Amino acid sequence: MNKPSSKIRAEFLGFFKNSGCTVIPSDSLIPTGDKTLLFTSAGMVQFKQHFLGQSKDSFTRATSCQKCFRTSDIDQVGTTARHLTFFEMLGNFSFGDYFKKEAVAWAWEFLTKNMSLPKDKLYITIYKDDDEVAKIWRSIAPANQIIRMDEKTNFWNMGETGPCGPCSEILIDLGQETGCGGPACGPDCNCDRYLEIWNLVFTQFDRQPDGLLKNLPRKNIDTGMGLERLTTAVNGRKNVFDTDLFMPVMENAAEILKIKNEGRNISKLRMIADHSRAATFLISDGILPSNEGRGYVLRRILRRALRQGKFYGYNKPFINELVSDVFKIMETAYPELSSKLSNIQSIVKTEEEKFLETLESGSKILSNIINSYKSKGINIISGKDVLKLYDTYGFPHDLTKETAAENGLGIDEDGFKSEQKNAQEKSRAAWRGSGERDITFYSILHKKIGDTVFTGYDNYAVESRVLALIKDGRETGELKTGDNGEIILSRSSFYAQSGGQCADKGIIANNSFESIVEDIFKPAGNLFVHKVKVLKGLVKINDTISTIIDVERRKQIARHHTAAHLLHKALRETFGGHITQAGSLVARDYFRFDFTHFSAVKKDDLIKIEKRVNSIIRLNSEVRIETMSIAKARNAGAMALFGEKYGNEVRTVSVKNESENGNYSMELCVGTHVSRTGDIGIFKIISESSVAAGVRRIEATAGIAAENYILDEEAVLVKTSEILNASKEELVNKAHKYTASYKKLENEFKSLKSSLISGGIDSYAKEVKKINGINFLSVIADKADVKVLRNISDQLKEKLKSAVLLIVSKNEDKASFILSATADCVQKGINAGKIAKAFAASINGSGGGKPDFAQGGSKDLSNLNDAVKNAYKYILS
């Protein structure tokens, strides 16, 4: 049998749609349902609010095919038949609707009838005390294929307390030849023989602090089945990589690397295929390579894949070529990949090129480390140095191990693992403390209070009731003069920070109370938390107050937000559909717009884009805001932000095309906007720059802020004209003329200074000291740059033949130095890097380098002369 994965995916969703489930599209790999998670790692993540009973959605049954990413088993990817980083999780869910009977019956029906899996090869594990599900399973499956297991494998917990429940797993026997061969090999064995296909979780208990299990009033179903594993089983394969989800990628990789998909190559090609899939979807969902958070994980997997090519002597980027293979396999299920393909490839290729450069520089650093260890007679490279190479320079652990072995050295594996574990703990701690607000506290509050009604689209002020007050992270009964705290209201005219738009500012007040609103955020659902400073009076829970926003500030932010939409459209018109928003900030004084693009935007294109936006502003086109179904909005061509979670009903912002019957621009957006484009006034681009590989940033301004910017630029122009005694028309020519004259004089000065210094080489050489048989000389050259210092050093080495030289430049507010040693001195044990470090410490600066050359500097000149005089002492130590 050969059933394509695309058909299996479609049949699963169709089966559960026919069972009354609402088909929900995959969420982003950046979790929208749980901000405490780094990645979406399971199908249930986007339904967290549904499981907690906090969702406004009307459906109580759902099904999805969710993109997932995990790194918990990354070291096993490629070496086993089933482990992956990126995978698709098929799932069906119940939120207080159907329960065990239906979940079990549907699972068995789908697998045995729709997927035609042999019943005698399927095994079911259940929780040892779950007699209810045991009875259900015995009514449809052979008793000898039902196995009771303990809580380690078959009981799900959210935490030490809270929702939990038993689970039931369905496994398939892939055949004795795939197993470990042990006498006890069975469904509970960790080998590859029994492949877990589906996990059915029955959330029915609430664990109390004393361990007691209480029945939940609303029982839920959460199931998950890997599409890759199901495709493997349905097609009679023995591992997930022998399916249409991976084979085209592996075959192309083998062709590029000029190897065969066999023997020791198999595990490397599997890893390459998995990581290529993961990188494609991570970048598609807006994650970019970086040195922290999600971006760091993306960088790691790209580098892990790329370095496999190094083992075959392939030193060019190639993962970017595999992105198109991933696209061809997945485009039916994820059509959004189409518009992003070229940009994803560009980002991947740029990252590959950077890493190949890193490998080259890392090899040099490792060579220095090896030489240092050898000179000291140490045969094992410390775990700390191995981790530094890996974590700081991106140099792979296995390449370090291999290179060390070639030089007769080993590495401290246990020390490396220990250092790596410590680094991971620090990273996790940093993520937990990265500024995310206390979601749990506000979630509990939200459940008690509910959503805040936002009236600010149509009203700048509204009367409201105080529902909760917070001070120092805890609920309180009142806030008084001088207090900093938070106010939660029944209604608010304040816009809370979201969608890149800054929050409103203004006041919350009544006749006896007044406070300044400094920020508004939404930590849970649509709960608006107003961060305030109380100016006078007292406010208590249930008091009636008024929310009054800063209207002019709001209007200016609205101009910027609509201008950002016009900029987005103009960019797509200029460069094509691969342009997508990668971030934004809409503030009062300016706005910035990050977008995916593989090269810098030329000045001529910036002018063209600016003119295009201003032309739409002058048309004074209508800006229409409508609420409609997500399906209708997408059919109308509305652009959505990836990484944002949208409900069934969405808010669209459209700029009408006055010359045609349609829209110039249409986006899903919750922000505030002008009524007509003419209200923006004028649009001006301030700057264009790089943010990350494949991401550019435009900073711009509009309306009053643009007027102020232009006036400031005009003032600079007028002042410059006065200084150069030139009209505006003559200004550029005069600036060129003065700049050329300055450069000529500067070069003449440098040449003269260099000649004077060179003429003093003989006098410098007379100051040489003999320290322990080593020639040592220190020289101070006033106001010399590094190039001059190097020149002095080279001339002195030529004259002295053998010496250690300290050449220092003293400027008005800082000192810089170089320290060099001839080869014979290095052989005698001199290390310029260590001496530079010690000298730099004596002048409260920093320095270091290699055994034959080092440099450094300091901003503290108070002790410089004495430190130079006494520098010879470092030869003695």
Side-chain angles (χ1 to χ4, degrees):
M1 180 180 181
N2 189 14
K3 181 174 281 195
S5 56
S6 57
K7 190 172 182 181
I8 293 172
R9 185 192 295 112
E11 284 189 24
F12 176 88
L13 296 174
F15 177 88
F16 281 98
K17 182 180 181 180
N18 291 335
S19 301
C21 294
T22 300
V23 178
I24 304 298
S26 173
D27 195 10
S28 167
L29 287 171
I30 303 172
T32 56
D34 189 341
K35 294 181 180 180
T36 64
L37 296 177
L38 203 58
F39 296 104
T40 299
S41 57
M44 62 80 65
V45 171
Q46 70 165 316
F47 298 114
K48 186 174 180 180
Q49 299 300 317
H50 297 76
F51 284 121
L52 295 173
Q54 297 174 358
S55 173
K56 288 185 175 181
D57 289 327
S58 58
F59 59 82
T60 55
R61 299 180 177 192
T63 186
S64 69
C65 178
Q66 174 63 50
K67 298 174 293 185
C68 296
F69 181 78
R70 297 177 185 172
T71 57
S72 52
D73 299 314
I74 193 169
D75 292 329
Q76 294 176 277
V77 172
T79 63
T80 71
R82 63 189 188 278
H83 287 107
L84 302 167
T85 58
F86 173 82
F87 58 96
E88 294 176 85
M89 186 174 282
L90 303 169
N92 58 288
F93 309 90
S94 168
F95 316 115
D97 195 315
Y98 66 85
F99 200 48
K100 292 180 183 179
K101 184 178 178 181
E102 294 87 348
V104 167
W106 287 337
W108 188 255
E109 179 185 351
F110 180 75
L111 292 178
T112 60
K113 292 183 179 179
N114 295 67
M115 296 293 105
S116 302
L117 293 182
K119 295 179 181 180
D120 62 329
K121 295 291 184 182
L122 296 177
Y123 288 81
I124 297 99
T125 67
I126 62 173
Y127 179 55
K128 60 184 179 65
D129 297 331
D130 193 351
D131 295 329
E132 180 186 1
V133 84
K135 184 178 179 181
I136 297 170
W137 273 119
R138 280 198 298 269
S139 68
I140 56 177
N144 65 343
Q145 289 171 226
I146 303 169
I147 301 140
R148 291 180 184 258
M149 298 182 73
D150 63 20
E151 59 273 3
K152 289 182 180 178
T153 60
N154 283 70
F155 198 95
W156 176 82
N157 295 283
M158 181 178 283
E160 292 184 7
T161 60
C164 58
C167 59
S168 179
E169 295 179 348
I170 304 172
L171 304 92
I172 188 168
D173 183 358
L174 296 179
Q176 190 173 354
E177 69 277 11
T178 63
C180 59
C185 185
D188 58 344
C189 186
N190 286 325
C191 71
D192 287 336
R193 177 173 177 178
Y194 294 91
L195 180 68
E196 178 197 331
I197 301 177
W198 210 336
N199 188 16
L200 316 177
V201 179
F202 314 119
T203 312
Q204 63 186 97
F205 300 120
D206 184 6
R207 190 184 295 277
Q208 303 301 300
D210 61 1
L212 184 68
L213 296 178
K214 286 188 175 180
N215 283 314
L216 283 171
R218 204 177 82 144
K219 297 176 173 62
N220 300 319
I221 290 289
D222 164 23
T223 85
M225 172 166 57
L227 173 64
E228 297 77 6
R229 295 188 180 195
L230 179 59
T231 304
T232 300
V234 169
N235 289 288
R237 303 290 192 264
K238 302 302 180 184
N239 72 76
V240 296
F241 297 98
D242 289 342
T243 64
D244 64 348
L245 289 162
F246 294 91
M247 285 306 297
V249 185
M250 293 170 65
E251 288 168 356
N252 193 18
E255 186 177 335
I256 292 169
L257 299 176
K258 293 180 169 53
I259 60 174
K260 292 184 178 180
N261 186 12
E262 58 185 34
R264 68 188 291 266
N265 300 337
I266 293 175
S267 63
K268 297 186 183 302
L269 289 170
R270 287 176 177 177
M271 183 198 294
I272 288 169
D274 169 81
H275 288 10
S276 298
R277 283 170 24 113
T280 299
F281 279 93
L282 288 170
I283 295 170
S284 173
D285 281 355
I287 299 168
L288 298 165
S290 70
N291 287 326
E292 57 186 17
R294 299 181 180 101
Y296 176 65
V297 178
L298 169 60
R299 174 163 283 168
R300 273 189 65 205
I301 64 165
L302 271 173
R303 292 182 169 189
R304 285 185 95 241
L306 179 62
R307 76 170 187 255
Q308 304 310 308
K310 294 286 290 183
F311 286 103
Y312 301 105
Y314 196 83
N315 297 307
K316 294 186 292 184
F318 71 95
I319 305 300
N320 65 93
E321 297 180 46
L322 304 180
V323 170
S324 59
D325 297 304
V326 176
F327 164 69
K328 288 172 187 174
I329 296 166
M330 309 295 269
E331 63 176 321
T332 303
Y334 304 99
E336 68 270 14
L337 287 174
S338 178
S339 64
K340 300 180 177 184
L341 180 60
S342 61
N343 201 62
I344 294 171
Q345 289 176 310
S346 175
I347 292 168
V348 171
K349 187 175 182 180
T350 301
E351 183 64 19
E352 289 183 279
E353 290 169 342
K354 283 183 180 179
F355 184 49
L356 289 171
E357 292 174 9
T358 296
L359 285 178
E360 187 176 341
S361 59
S363 296
K364 293 176 182 177
I365 295 165
L366 176 57
S367 179
N368 290 335
I369 290 174
I370 289 172
N371 291 335
S372 174
Y373 274 80
K374 280 185 170 181
S375 68
K376 296 173 185 175
I378 302 173
N379 297 322
I380 302 294
I381 299 176
S382 72
K384 187 174 183 179
D385 281 336
V386 176
L387 182 68
K388 185 178 180 181
L389 275 164
Y390 175 68
D391 222 25
T392 306
Y393 302 106
F395 199 79
H397 157 263
D398 47 7
L399 280 184
T400 299
K401 184 177 180 179
E402 185 179 297
T403 309
E406 290 171 356
N407 286 271
L409 301 180
I411 66 172
D412 180 1
E413 291 281 9
D414 291 338
F416 171 70
K417 289 175 183 175
S418 177
E419 292 286 343
Q420 192 175 38
K421 186 177 180 182
N422 291 338
Q424 287 169 345
E425 287 300 321
K426 287 180 181 177
S427 177
R428 290 190 188 104
W431 176 257
R432 287 192 294 266
S434 63
E436 288 288 346
R437 305 191 190 259
D438 186 349
I439 301 297
T440 304
F441 171 77
Y442 291 111
S443 292
I444 294 170
L445 203 56
H446 178 235
K447 195 170 184 178
K448 181 171 69 174
I449 293 174
D451 288 339
T452 306
V453 177
F454 176 57
T455 64
Y457 288 134
D458 305 308
N459 300 289
Y460 294 143
V462 68
E463 193 173 86
S464 185
R465 186 167 61 89
V466 177
L467 300 181
L469 298 168
I470 301 165
K471 183 180 178 183
D472 299 327
R474 296 182 179 182
E475 287 190 72
T476 184
E478 63 181 34
L479 290 176
K480 60 182 184 301
T481 303
D483 281 348
N484 290 299
E486 294 168 355
I487 301 178
I488 298 175
L489 305 168
S490 59
R491 292 147 55 88
S492 178
S493 56
F494 284 94
Y495 182 86
Q497 182 176 346
S498 60
Q501 180 175 321
C502 290
D504 283 327
K505 291 189 176 181
I507 62 171
I508 293 176
N510 59 24
N511 292 334
S512 59
F513 166 80
E514 183 178 348
S515 65
I516 294 176
V517 178
E518 299 174 333
D519 191 18
I520 307 98
F521 57 94
K522 296 191 293 183
N526 278 320
L527 182 76
F528 282 39
V529 180
H530 304 74
K531 192 174 181 180
V532 302
K533 168 77 174 179
V534 181
L535 298 180
K536 68 174 185 179
L538 180 78
V539 66
K540 294 182 179 181
I541 293 172
N542 287 323
D543 279 1
T544 298
I545 53 82
S546 293
T547 65
I548 307 164
I549 72 168
D550 182 335
V551 176
E552 288 308 312
R553 184 176 184 277
R554 161 74 78 82
K555 287 181 177 179
Q556 181 57 28
I557 288 173
R559 293 183 190 107
H560 279 153
H561 205 151
T562 307
H565 284 215
L566 298 181
L567 172 61
H568 190 183
K569 179 64 176 180
L571 284 165
R572 289 173 68 89
E573 284 181 333
T574 305
F575 299 119
H578 72 276
I579 298 286
T580 55
Q581 185 173 336
S584 68
L585 173 67
V586 181
R588 179 185 62 182
D589 298 325
Y590 80 109
F591 72 91
R592 66 171 184 245
F593 187 84
D594 298 345
F595 57 98
T596 53
H597 191 51
F598 36 78
S599 62
V601 181
K602 295 176 183 177
K603 183 65 177 176
D604 287 348
D605 284 326
L606 287 174
I607 293 171
K608 179 182 175 182
I609 290 163
E610 187 176 283
K611 285 184 174 181
R612 179 57 172 153
V613 172
N614 279 313
S615 71
I616 301 300
I617 290 172
R618 286 192 296 274
L619 287 175
N620 198 26
S621 301
E622 178 189 359
V623 179
R624 182 176 296 175
I625 295 172
E626 298 173 282
T627 300
M628 62 183 71
S629 70
I630 183 71
K632 184 179 178 181
R634 283 176 173 156
N635 289 336
M639 285 189 288
L641 284 181
F642 288 99
E644 289 291 327
K645 180 68 175 174
Y646 299 102
N648 291 329
E649 293 291 313
V650 293
R651 184 173 183 263
T652 64
V653 177
S654 307
V655 176
K656 305 305 291 181
N657 189 326
E658 298 299 329
S659 60
E660 298 177 19
N661 185 22
N663 297 320
Y664 172 71
S665 163
M666 185 179 188
E667 296 191 26
L668 305 187
C669 183
V670 297
T672 60
H673 290 268
V674 298
S675 300
R676 304 192 74 87
T677 59
D679 298 338
I680 296 171
I682 189 171
F683 167 78
K684 182 69 183 170
I685 292 176
I686 298 172
S687 66
E688 191 275 344
S689 60
S690 172
V691 178
V695 179
R696 308 298 301 180
R697 170 175 292 172
I698 285 180
E699 293 190 352
T701 187
I704 297 169
E707 290 177 18
N708 292 335
Y709 175 80
I710 292 168
L711 288 172
D712 288 343
E713 292 287 291
E714 177 75 14
V716 170
L717 199 62
V718 169
K719 191 66 178 176
T720 305
S721 296
E722 290 174 359
I723 292 170
L724 296 179
N725 191 26
S727 66
K728 291 180 184 178
E729 292 75 21
E730 299 172 321
L731 194 57
V732 173
N733 288 334
K734 275 214 172 183
H736 279 307
K737 181 180 177 182
Y738 284 134
T739 301
S741 297
Y742 174 79
K743 285 182 177 178
K744 183 181 178 184
L745 289 171
E746 186 179 41
N747 289 333
E748 289 174 356
F749 174 75
K750 284 182 178 179
S751 177
L752 179 61
K753 190 168 186 177
S754 182
S755 298
L756 290 171
I757 290 171
S758 297
I761 292 296
D762 289 340
S763 61
Y764 289 148
K766 293 176 183 178
E767 303 298 322
V768 171
K769 290 184 175 69
K770 202 85 170 181
I771 312 294
N772 286 350
I774 303 281
N775 289 329
F776 177 78
L777 176 62
S778 58
V779 173
I780 295 180
D782 283 344
K783 298 181 180 178
D785 58 23
V786 174
K787 187 176 179 181
V788 172
L789 296 184
R790 283 178 177 266
N791 185 26
I792 296 172
S793 177
D794 290 343
Q795 290 189 54
L796 284 170
K797 279 195 285 187
E798 179 67 27
K799 186 171 185 65
L800 297 173
K801 307 301 181 186
S802 173
V804 176
L805 305 168
L806 171 64
I807 318 296
V808 182
S809 171
K810 184 166 66 172
N811 292 290
E812 293 176 1
D813 57 351
K814 66 178 181 178
S816 55
F817 69 86
I818 64 169
L819 206 149
S820 62
T822 53
D824 64 309
C825 291
V826 173
Q827 288 175 354
K828 292 177 184 178
I830 291 296
N831 189 314
K834 287 186 177 180
I835 296 173
K837 193 172 184 179
F839 174 71
S842 72
I843 57 173
N844 297 318
S846 61
K850 300 177 181 179
D852 63 335
F853 182 83
Q855 58 187 3
S858 175
K859 292 183 179 180
D860 184 355
L861 306 183
S862 61
N863 188 43
L864 183 63
N865 291 337
D866 288 341
V868 172
K869 286 178 184 177
N870 294 315
Y872 70 90
K873 294 178 181 178
Y874 300 117
I875 304 295
L876 298 172
S877 58

